[in-house]
Amino acid sequence: MPPSLWPDSPQGFNVTNARFAWKLRDARLGAAQTSRHIQVVRVDDTSIPQANAFAGEPVWDSGEVFSTDSLYVPYEGPPLEPHTRYHWRVRIRDHKGHLLPWSSAAWFETAFAEPSPNWPATGWVTANDSDNPQCPHLRKTFTLAARPRSARLYITARGLFEARLNGGRVGEDLLTPGWTDYTRRIEYLTYDVTANLSTGPNTLGVILADGWYAGHLGWNAATPNRHYGPKPALLAVLRIVGQDGSVRWIGTDESWQTACGPLISADLYHGEHYDARRELPGWCDAPPHLCGTWQPAVPIEFPAVELNARELSSVRQHEETPPVSMRTPSPGRCIIDFGQNLIGVIRLRITALAGTKITLRHAEMVQNDGELYTANLRSARATDIYVCCGGGRAEIFQPRFTFHGFRYVEISGLTAPLQSDDVRAVVLHTGMTPTGTFETSNPLLNQLQSCIRWGQRSNFLEVPTDCPQRDERLGWTGDAQVFIPTATFNYDVAPFYRKWLRDLTDAQRADGAFPDVAPDLLKLMYGPDRRTGNAAWADAGVICPWVLYQRYGDTDVLARNYSAMTRWIDYQESTSCNHIRPATSFGDWLALDGGPSPSGSLTPGELIGTAYFAHTTGIMAQVASLLGHTAESLRFAALRHHIVTAFNRRFVATDVRLTSDTQTAYLLALAFDLLPEASRPTAVAHLERTLKRHHYHLATGFVGTPLLAPVLTRFGRLDLAYRLLQNKTYPSWLFPVANGATTMWERWNSWTPDDGFGDVNMNSFNHYAYGSIGDWMYRTVGGLDLSEPGYRRLLLRPRPGGGLTSAAASLDTPYGLASSAWHQTATGLEWNILVPPNTTALLFPPARSLNEVRVDGLAWDDHCGIQFMEPQEQEPVLACVAGSYRLHIAPPENSINSGTNETSITPQPIANFSR
Ligand code: BGC
């Protein structure tokens, strides 16, 4: 039962907020925790094996606490000390009252105590202007009299950095320190470099690039726009602990040297230009070789910002994809298809004469003539250039300070044919643990799931972006909020969104309006007066923390964001007219209901805004109550009531028609419970009418699309939900899939057989927003849902339909692996479920009566893990404790005695179950 703490054994931890979580690995029926006991020890010598560390006195011993909690248990010992490693372990008592053995140990290490802008002996430095270097190399050589006991590098940049120590790369992170609003906070990384140092001379070297800080960002990226600052700068310090415990700090200052190297330019949008003839061999060896012209680094002052220890994984290199086809349309030019639209860079192996210039252009699609389609990249050049140094040896080029969204690459300037082994597409994105799987008997749906997953991977780079390829790649809030439920199934995105919520609250305006993008680049592009607070976009500020709480069970995310969330509601209240929101910018973005371009939406902003105002206020009533703010909760509930009344008065006619008779209008009214109970069936009939008008096809945009299948399912039209999902004709989710899509498209008509490529001004082939259907696929088709936050209690309720003969969903929940997999057999339906330790589940077997249900070969009521529950909406319901179960559901006609004899069943409290 090893505990798990995210990230595993984190280094450079914020000292104030240690919390512990562990997963019980126990396959026994009803496995659960009844008590917990945590011990934390301080480790002065990190070479001590973890198991021995507990021989000493713990700094905190919680003692045995009778509690079932295994998530986010706060450290309650004396204050943690900075720059210190702690080991911890946990022991639990199980559901039978037995104490289990201690877990293996995990560790964490603290960094600086405060998010203070000042580090010892360290200041920001940059390169000398006379060099006008784009990607300067900086270095410092120092001498150690003896090998240290331990050494840590704390490092960050305005821009991007790659660090080296004595010639070797430090860590595997890329595009560090990532993107935040650099005017407010910058994250730093911590590396254990003890093993990299040696007695005598040592050299720490760093290469800097513009990145988000000083590179192109935002559309119209033709000229350098350097939104945060004119050029990159570095802040780094080595903390070296000698064998005698003495501490030495070696930080960036004017004693560092800078020089130009082979990187002529590097830009996130435009690509990297590398001239291998200008390499500086041995420039950061110990001692460095004589190469290049070095000048003193220039100290530089900035207004103080918070320096925060990074708490999520950085961008990393993931798998490598080989070409699926290579063509040579003209001599020296090769077009390669990797078979998958993705995000990353190319790794190229090339042997050519010195000065040979190789150009790599990236694209998501090819035209009819087989040439790259790059018009949709707008001003992003997405072009890497490599100039060979020659010498007869194979050279490897892999850009390190850029990324591209592409499936195809054109490589030109070749003097000899390329072999397939010479090229790889290297996938890059923020490190996230995969958590979910989803599969059905329909290969097209499986490909849709693959598109959604790749859409997520391609857009989870530092912030949740709209797209990874054109001159945009921004943290659009609307896209993020519609996709977050799906995102939580495919990967563990809690750390990623927690960081982004910080970006979002950093970007919140003083009046409470949340921005359209976070970090708020649009404020830098258009000034602080640009309109924000747009419906369904700004609402991300309330919806994202709420979804995170639901899916991960962590109230801390609500507590941290509570005041920002409240300010957004207050802003809406103060800028509404009789609780009706004013029209806002984006409508039902890219809907197909005939509205004006580019949003395409007929559903008015006032309706969308007022619906979301009610929705987010309703969420806040729950959040406030959860956090114990009772008066606030009542205030939000009353406010929601007024908004709902105003909504009905303004937008709903007596025959329950909405003033804008669109799919999205009915979806919002139904999804957010804005209509009186009695009117809802009529609204569903109107919704069906609007679908019929579109030949049972969707016409929704970013706002309506995520609601389609859930609303139809909830209001008894599962048949229609499946019908929409399985449409292959335009517009539908499967239309792109049937036309070869490998990622989600931005528009329903990003490409059509009749019109070819869609509106070039905004046409990405890798936009995750319409992938928001993924949440419904896991929850409804697979049947894997939750009834208590964090999956403490699961809700397993598959809804077979749409001609599917099988579906399977699995999720590594915060408590462990859960799954729900069903398939049709000759004798009925077999449903296999897995309920993780320390959780329970509500089961909705897809049966009309419990008489049809057998569990593990037994009548369900003979199974000691299963309990009867009151039927809901005439559907039979059971409950179960942790364990794995095989249910068999006979078709209704086979069931003996379709009348129910449920009255003879005596429900047992779950906690008493045992074998
Ligand atoms: C982005 C969208 C975004 C929208 C807002 C676009 O340029 O790509 O995904 O939500 O603008 O209007």
Side-chain angles (χ1 to χ4, degrees):
M1 187 196 58
S4 68
L5 177 73
W6 199 99
D8 282 347
S9 304
Q11 193 165 252
F13 202 72
N14 184 330
V15 262
T16 54
N17 68 357
R19 298 186 301 158
F20 304 101
W22 54 93
K23 286 179 182 173
L24 178 58
R25 288 206 194 116
D26 189 338
R28 289 176 300 166
L29 190 72
Q33 166 189 320
T34 51
S35 82
R36 57 162 165 87
H37 184 172
I38 300 172
Q39 284 184 337
V40 180
V41 290
R42 184 195 152 118
V43 181
D44 289 320
D45 183 348
T46 53
S47 62
I48 293 182
Q50 298 186 8
N52 298 351
F54 288 91
E57 188 65 15
V59 291
W60 182 49
D61 188 325
S62 72
E64 185 174 7
V65 177
F66 283 86
S67 160
T68 56
D69 289 346
S70 58
L71 298 179
Y72 323 117
V73 177
Y75 170 79
E76 286 169 347
L80 296 170
E81 287 173 40
H83 310 293
T84 305
R85 181 171 290 196
Y86 295 89
H87 286 182
W88 72 282
R89 62 181 182 172
V90 61
R91 183 168 64 171
I92 70 158
R93 196 178 286 279
D94 70 11
H95 56 297
K96 295 191 171 196
H98 299 140
L99 266 187
L100 301 186
W102 284 103
S103 71
S104 56
W107 59 265
F108 62 95
E109 192 177 292
T110 57
F112 290 96
E114 301 287 335
S116 138
N118 298 315
W119 290 350
T122 312
W124 287 93
V125 293
T126 186
N128 197 309
D129 265 340
S130 63
D131 271 348
N132 194 22
Q134 283 273 355
C135 301
H137 289 44
L138 294 93
R139 73 178 182 200
K140 160 92 182 174
T141 299
F142 53 94
T143 305
L144 293 180
R147 279 186 70 90
R149 184 204 285 174
S150 76
R152 299 290 179 268
L153 172 65
Y154 302 103
I155 181 165
T156 189
R158 291 166 188 262
L160 304 176
F161 73 80
E162 183 186 293
R164 281 148 189 279
L165 200 42
N166 296 334
R169 176 98 157 74
V170 176
E172 293 168 11
D173 301 323
L174 298 166
L175 305 175
T176 45
W179 188 13
T180 49
D181 180 343
Y182 305 111
T183 64
R184 302 184 67 125
R185 75 181 70 254
I186 301 181
E187 297 193 327
Y188 65 88
L189 288 99
T190 303
Y191 296 100
D192 180 350
V193 291
T194 315
N196 307 51
L197 295 176
S198 39
T199 310
N202 290 273
T203 306
L204 174 59
V206 179
I207 307 171
L208 292 180
D210 289 345
W212 293 275
Y213 181 80
H216 294 94
L217 208 51
W219 37 89
N220 301 324
T223 51
N225 40 32
R226 309 186 186 286
H227 290 292
Y228 294 99
K231 59 177 180 171
L234 171 70
L235 184 77
V237 67
L238 276 169
R239 180 178 187 271
I240 300 173
V241 182
Q243 297 298 342
D244 59 355
S246 60
V247 175
R248 182 174 166 198
W249 296 90
I250 299 173
T252 37
D253 59 20
E254 62 285 345
S255 69
W256 283 57
Q257 298 177 303
T258 75
C260 293
L263 275 155
I264 310 289
S265 65
D267 187 85
L268 296 177
Y269 289 177
H270 294 326
E272 195 166 296
H273 182 172
Y274 189 98
D275 188 339
R277 294 170 303 179
R278 297 167 40 133
E279 276 175 359
L280 305 170
W283 67 277
C284 69
D285 282 1
H289 296 190
L290 273 183
C291 60
T293 312
W294 294 84
Q295 308 208 38
V298 182
I300 179 167
E301 295 282 328
F302 294 102
V305 293
E306 271 193 24
L307 293 176
N308 296 123
R310 186 166 173 92
E311 288 184 8
L312 79 154
S313 214
S314 291
V315 175
R316 289 275 174 98
Q317 175 170 324
H318 300 274
E319 73 265 35
E320 293 173 10
T321 306
V324 295
S325 77
M326 300 173 73
R327 295 187 303 111
T328 307
S330 55
R333 195 163 67 92
C334 180
I335 293 184
I336 300 171
D337 177 5
F338 291 96
Q340 174 64 54
N341 203 12
L342 50 80
I343 179 179
V345 289
I346 293 291
R347 191 169 68 237
L348 175 68
R349 184 171 60 199
I350 186 99
T351 310
L353 294 177
T356 308
K357 182 176 161 190
I358 307 292
T359 304
L360 299 90
R361 294 169 58 232
H362 303 74
E364 294 183 290
M365 301 290 270
V366 284
Q367 302 167 169
N368 286 341
D369 62 4
E371 295 295 325
L372 299 192
Y373 175 71
T374 56
N376 69 328
L377 306 183
R378 302 192 308 215
S379 67
R381 288 200 289 276
T383 301
D384 298 325
I385 295 172
Y386 181 76
V387 181
C388 301
C389 67
R393 63 176 179 91
E395 301 172 41
I396 305 285
F397 172 53
Q398 179 175 332
R400 33 173 50 132
F401 294 122
T402 190
F403 66 91
H404 309 294
F406 67 100
R407 169 176 166 169
Y408 301 90
V409 67
E410 177 206 75
I411 305 184
S412 59
L414 297 167
T415 51
L418 274 183
Q419 303 304 316
S420 166
D421 275 354
D422 294 331
V423 197
R424 289 289 178 271
V426 179
V427 178
L428 307 179
H429 54 79
T430 295
M432 300 176 287
T433 310
T435 47
T437 60
F438 175 82
E439 204 178 350
T440 70
S441 53
N442 181 341
L444 287 179
L445 280 189
N446 298 343
Q447 178 59 16
L448 173 62
Q449 163 64 12
S450 171
C451 290
I452 296 171
R453 202 186 177 87
W454 274 102
Q456 176 165 354
R457 301 182 72 186
S458 311
N459 284 295
F460 276 49
L461 188 142
E462 269 308 301
V463 302
T465 58
D466 53 340
C467 55
Q469 73 299 80
R470 68 178 177 227
D471 54 359
E472 199 153 353
R473 315 183 195 184
L474 305 179
W476 282 97
T477 46
D479 309 38
Q481 71 90 355
V482 297
F483 189 68
I484 187 172
T486 302
T488 64
F489 271 113
N490 292 324
Y491 286 89
D492 176 2
V493 292
F496 181 81
Y497 272 104
R498 282 172 68 91
K499 179 265 176 190
W500 184 69
L501 284 174
R502 228 172 176 179
D503 298 336
L504 187 58
T505 45
D506 277 349
Q508 186 177 29
R509 273 198 330 212
D511 61 8
F514 281 115
D516 300 333
V517 298
D520 194 358
L521 180 78
L522 303 185
K523 184 178 78 185
L524 301 178
M525 287 172 74
Y526 298 110
D529 296 335
R530 181 191 147 90
R531 171 188 194 143
T532 54
N534 283 307
W537 269 251
D539 293 294
V542 167
I543 292 169
C544 293
W546 181 241
V547 173
L548 284 188
Y549 162 69
Q550 292 288 332
R551 302 297 167 98
Y552 298 101
D554 185 5
T555 42
D556 182 64
V557 72
L558 298 177
R560 274 173 187 251
N561 290 286
Y562 182 73
S563 83
M565 294 158 87
T566 302
R567 278 187 287 126
W568 166 236
I569 304 296
D570 293 346
Y571 169 85
Q572 292 184 87
E573 192 177 9
S574 65
T575 53
S576 297
C577 181
N578 296 327
H579 300 106
I580 298 293
R581 299 289 300 137
T584 52
S585 298
F586 304 131
D588 184 18
W589 188 250
L590 302 185
L592 294 171
D593 52 19
S597 261
S599 97
S601 169
L602 262 195
T603 317
E606 292 93 333
L607 189 152
I608 296 173
T610 308
Y612 262 94
F613 183 21
H615 180 50
T616 45
T617 306
I619 291 176
M620 286 308 290
Q622 297 179 70
V623 173
S625 152
L626 262 163
L627 297 178
H629 308 308
T630 313
E632 282 281 277
S633 172
L634 293 174
R635 174 173 84 87
F636 289 128
L639 176 59
R640 181 182 183 279
H641 177 76
H642 292 310
I643 304 165
V644 170
T645 308
F647 181 92
N648 278 273
R649 249 189 237 134
R650 172 74 182 271
F651 301 113
V652 189
T654 42
D655 62 355
V656 197
R657 265 181 201 254
L658 297 183
T659 48
S660 83
D661 193 38
T662 60
Q663 295 174 8
T664 293
Y666 292 108
L667 289 167
L668 287 167
L670 287 163
F672 298 164
D673 293 327
L674 305 179
L675 302 172
E677 290 271 351
S679 306
R680 293 178 191 175
T682 317
V684 176
H686 285 310
L687 174 59
E688 176 166 11
R689 190 175 42 73
T690 60
L691 287 167
K692 199 168 169 193
R693 193 163 69 209
H694 290 272
H695 312 286
Y696 286 99
H697 279 67
L698 53 78
T700 48
F702 280 28
V703 172
T705 300
L707 308 178
L708 272 166
V711 164
L712 289 168
T713 307
R714 177 176 156 202
F715 291 99
R717 299 308 307 270
L718 182 69
D719 59 321
L720 281 181
Y722 269 113
R723 183 168 177 179
L724 293 181
L725 176 66
Q726 301 211 318
N727 277 338
K728 289 189 269 304
T729 42
Y730 168 78
S732 65
W733 287 281
L734 292 188
F735 169 73
V737 171
N739 282 285
T742 60
T743 38
M744 300 307 294
W745 294 353
E746 178 171 22
R747 296 170 177 270
W748 299 118
N749 55 359
S750 282
W751 182 89
T752 58
D754 291 342
D755 299 327
F757 292 113
D759 182 354
V760 72
N761 291 311
M762 217 182 59
N763 196 21
S764 141
F765 288 89
N766 205 348
H767 238 70
Y768 59 54
Y770 290 150
S772 52
I773 182 75
D775 182 59
W776 180 83
M777 297 190 332
Y778 272 96
R779 292 194 298 133
T780 307
V781 182
L784 180 46
D785 202 347
L786 54 86
S787 89
E788 280 178 25
Y791 296 85
R792 187 72 205 250
R793 182 168 234 207
L794 284 86
L795 176 67
L796 301 178
R797 187 185 202 178
R799 309 284 194 107
L804 295 178
T805 55
S806 70
S810 76
L811 178 69
D812 194 3
T813 73
Y815 295 93
L817 189 65
S819 64
S820 163
W822 58 266
H823 65 275
Q824 301 284 358
T825 68
T827 60
L829 186 124
E830 188 169 314
W831 182 29
N832 294 306
I833 59 172
L834 178 63
V835 178
N838 217 18
T839 71
T840 58
L842 278 181
L843 312 181
F844 285 70
R848 282 195 212 152
S849 147
L850 286 177
N851 293 331
E852 300 160 11
V853 180
R854 291 179 73 76
V855 183
D856 293 336
L858 304 170
W860 67 266
D861 46 342
D862 286 339
H863 194 294
C864 60
I866 302 282
Q867 181 191 9
F868 173 75
M869 302 293 286
E870 200 178 311
Q872 286 183 23
E873 294 161 21
Q874 291 161 5
E875 284 183 61
V877 186
L878 297 170
C880 72
V881 291
S884 61
Y885 305 83
R886 199 182 75 251
L887 287 89
H888 184 268
I889 294 128
E893 56 274 19
N894 293 351
S895 54
I896 324 141
N897 178 12
S898 57
T900 147
N901 59 359
E902 283 157 11
T903 45
S904 65
I905 300 161
T906 316
Q908 296 288 321
I910 287 184
N912 285 353
F913 285 138
S914 60
R915 241 194 179 140

